Amino acid sequence: MTVPCTTASRKAGSKSAAPASPRAARRLRVLIRPAQAALSGLLLYASFPPRPLWWLAPVAFALLASSVRDMRPRAGFGYGYLAGLGFFLPLLVWTGEEVGPLPWLALAALEALFIAAVGAALTVVGRLPGWPVWAAALWVTVEGARARLPFGGFPWGKVAFGQAEGWFLPLAAVGGTPLVGFAIALCGFALADLARRLKRPGPKAAALAAVAVALAPVAAAFAALPLVSTRAEDGTATAAVIQGNVPRLGLDFNDQRRAVLDNHARRTIELADDVRAGRIPRPDFVLWPENSSDLDPYRNPDARAVIEEAVTAIGAPTAIGAVITPDAGRLRNTQILWDPRRGPIDEYDKRRIQPFGEYIPLRSLVRIFSSDVDRVKRDFGPGRDVGVFTMAGTRVGLVTCYENAFDDTVRETVTAGAQVLSVPSNNATFGRTEMTYQQLAMSRLRAVEHSRTVLVPVTSGVSAVILPDGTVTQRTGQFVPAALVAQVPRRSSLTPATRLGPLPEAVLAALATASLAAAATRAARDRLTARRRPAGFNPGI
């Protein structure tokens, strides 16, 4: 009588310990991949300033690769889009600070399409030998496309811009943002490859190769450290950076343009008083931020008088950020070189102007969705010439705000002879968001990329002094008047990144294109082979 009872107990125990059904497992897998994809985007966002979590970026790439591995391109596109939303939605939230969520959501949705394209491409090259290399090249290629399309591109959020605190930063001096982005993506994709190989039985050589690939970018970054230098090649200069502050946050600060101008003039005169009292060394030149005078000093005698008083008081050539309003045509976002004796003697018009901020593409169409386009009553026009001011013997290159995100614009300024870079900006529109810290990190990368001191005058902060090794030696708070005075090195040598220009990106784009072609050829060959096999053919027999 005990045998049936024991048998029944075993059957019951076996039933309770049975594994989950294949359907339940499939449901779990369906949830895991989208979660991985979205998490990869969130981790990539978390690697950006003001958080010093740069090391999360390779982890993000590893998760992205795992989420699309062995999937079809359409599924890879969808998971890539989730990753893109996870990245861009929090990264760009500042774009809706004063105009509501619609522009923010539209921009994030558009930019996420580029990450979706990467997700689809990863599924295509994922079966090629050495796929992490091709995948990383694809990432850089798509970043390059995003920096150019549409409306001139939107490079904000390049993975390199999150690495100001990281180990990979010295690579900027070798190959600029494309090489830094390639290194981080390669490291992350190699980690995904390693994790996959460790899960499967097989020769250890393949796993060791994946480890070597993951470590190679780190080793290359340390090898590039000798290129990073703060040595003064052409002597030093004493620079002053003025942050006058604004009357109030948001778009409406422009309604008090005279107050903004007065704030910057007042802080400059206070600096002049400190110089005369011997508390601060006399600056060789002074930098005001973008929009420090939204009153055209050529058309407004009172604005001109305020500027002349301040510049005469400090007794040094001063770069003034002004809005020039000609009788006809477009406005100009201009830096004016103002000499204390001769007045305005040179100008630089911002060349990269911000779509939907400084000018409105498709204005009549966009107005259907948001009336805020009418805040920009008159479009700005782009300048043509590179801006380098000779200020008391120092060649100061001008890269105005949004231009700092574009590789070619910054490089052209350096190759035109800039010994020091200035990035005059106006971030008051974006309040206390992360935007100003994201932009400051760009300036730190540019300092290393071109081995130049970068001075950052901002209307409302954060203004900063950045040495050629990316170190921030002085910085202000936000929404406070301030003046930074620093002795900075002047440099004229060119880094490999400056000399090579777009070549590293072009090489990586060629690799990406070749990998897609190779994957397509391999897939076509496999399909042809499958069609030629006789019915019932079993290669394992």
Side-chain angles (χ1 to χ4, degrees), residues 88 111 114 139-158 161 177-178 352 402 405-409 446 505:
F88 284 115
E111 296 300 309
F114 290 93
W139 176 271
V140 174
T141 302
V142 172
E143 275 198 336
R146 190 167 67 81
R148 294 169 174 83
L149 300 169
F151 307 117
F154 187 73
W156 209 281
K158 273 190 169 185
F161 293 150
T177 61
R352 294 273 193 171
Y402 183 62
F406 293 87
D407 295 347
D408 57 344
T409 305
R446 298 304 186 196
E505 186 178 56

Side-chain angles (χ1 to χ4, degrees), residues 395-416:
R395 300 272 290 168
V396 180
L398 300 162
V399 182
T400 304
C401 197
Y402 183 62
E403 295 183 316
N404 199 25
F406 293 87
D407 295 347
D408 57 344
T409 305
V410 184
R411 176 178 177 266
E412 288 166 1
T413 306
V414 175
T415 57

Side-chain angles (χ1 to χ4, degrees), residues 387-444:
V388 179
F389 288 167
T390 299
M391 305 180 73
T394 299
R395 300 272 290 168
V396 180
L398 300 162
V399 182
T400 304
C401 197
Y402 183 62
E403 295 183 316
N404 199 25
F406 293 87
D407 295 347
D408 57 344
T409 305
V410 184
R411 176 178 177 266
E412 288 166 1
T413 306
V414 175
T415 57
Q419 299 168 304
V420 172
L421 290 175
S422 173
V423 184
S425 302
N426 173 26
N427 298 341
T429 302
F430 306 109
R432 299 183 184 276
T433 64
E434 294 180 358
M435 180 269 184
T436 192
Y437 301 103
Q438 294 170 10
Q439 190 177 56
L440 182 63
M442 290 183 197
S443 295
R444 295 182 65 183

Side-chain angles (χ1 to χ4, degrees), residues 12-351:
S14 299
K15 185 175 182 180
S16 63
S21 67
R23 178 180 294 180
R26 283 196 298 271
R27 287 176 179 172
L28 184 60
R29 285 197 296 270
V30 165
L31 292 175
I32 287 176
R33 285 185 182 264
Q36 279 185 321
L39 181 59
S40 72
L42 290 171
L43 289 180
L44 189 57
Y45 157 70
S47 72
F48 273 68
R51 293 160 296 279
L53 304 177
W54 58 269
W55 48 269
L56 286 176
V59 180
F61 283 105
L63 278 176
L64 176 61
S66 298
S67 68
V68 303
R69 186 77 173 165
D70 298 326
M71 304 297 288
R72 294 185 176 182
R74 184 166 60 181
F77 185 91
Y79 292 139
Y81 195 70
L82 284 176
L85 290 177
F87 176 48
F88 284 115
L89 280 173
L91 185 81
L92 302 179
V93 67
W94 50 267
T95 59
E97 178 71 6
E98 293 294 330
V99 294
L102 184 60
W104 159 51
L105 295 174
L107 180 59
L110 174 64
E111 296 300 309
L113 289 172
F114 290 93
I115 311 300
V118 174
L122 288 177
T123 67
V124 175
V125 302
R127 292 180 177 86
L128 292 176
W131 70 267
V133 176
W134 322 129
L138 281 164
W139 176 271
V140 174
T141 302
V142 172
E143 275 198 336
R146 190 167 67 81
R148 294 169 174 83
L149 300 169
F151 307 117
F154 187 73
W156 209 281
K158 273 190 169 185
V159 67
F161 293 150
Q163 297 296 307
E165 299 280 351
W167 291 347
F168 299 99
L169 182 61
L171 290 174
V174 181
T177 61
L179 185 60
V180 176
F182 176 76
I184 297 162
L186 177 60
C187 185
F189 291 143
L191 288 175
D193 190 39
L194 175 62
R196 183 182 178 84
R197 293 183 184 280
L198 291 177
K199 289 179 182 178
R200 296 182 175 183
K204 297 299 182 183
L208 291 175
V211 172
V213 173
L215 293 178
V218 179
F222 280 97
L225 277 172
L227 294 174
V228 180
S229 173
T230 60
R231 183 173 60 87
E233 297 173 332
D234 306 312
T236 62
T238 301
V241 171
I242 301 297
Q243 177 176 303
N245 202 17
V246 298
R248 56 176 176 264
L249 282 66
L251 291 173
D252 291 335
F253 86 91
N254 283 309
D255 293 338
Q256 295 191 12
R257 293 175 293 174
R258 177 56 191 268
V260 175
L261 172 57
D262 287 344
N263 285 353
H264 286 83
R266 183 183 306 112
R267 191 63 191 88
T268 303
I269 292 170
E270 290 171 355
L271 176 63
D273 292 339
D274 290 336
V275 168
R276 282 192 293 272
R279 292 186 290 268
I280 292 177
R282 180 175 297 278
D284 296 312
F285 59 87
V286 180
L287 303 172
W288 284 18
E290 177 188 36
N291 297 127
S292 47
S293 177
D294 276 352
L295 291 169
D296 184 345
Y298 300 134
R299 300 174 66 91
N300 294 273
D302 57 334
R304 183 177 185 122
V306 169
I307 293 171
E308 286 183 339
E309 180 185 7
V311 174
T312 301
I314 196 63
T318 303
I320 308 292
V323 173
I324 306 303
T325 57
D327 290 329
R330 298 186 173 189
L331 302 174
R332 293 158 48 204
N333 187 335
T334 301
Q335 290 285 311
I336 304 174
L337 175 54
W338 209 289
D339 185 85
R341 289 178 296 277
R342 295 180 290 163
I345 58 174
D346 202 355
E347 291 182 353
Y348 168 66
D349 293 334
K350 186 176 181 180
R351 294 183 291 151

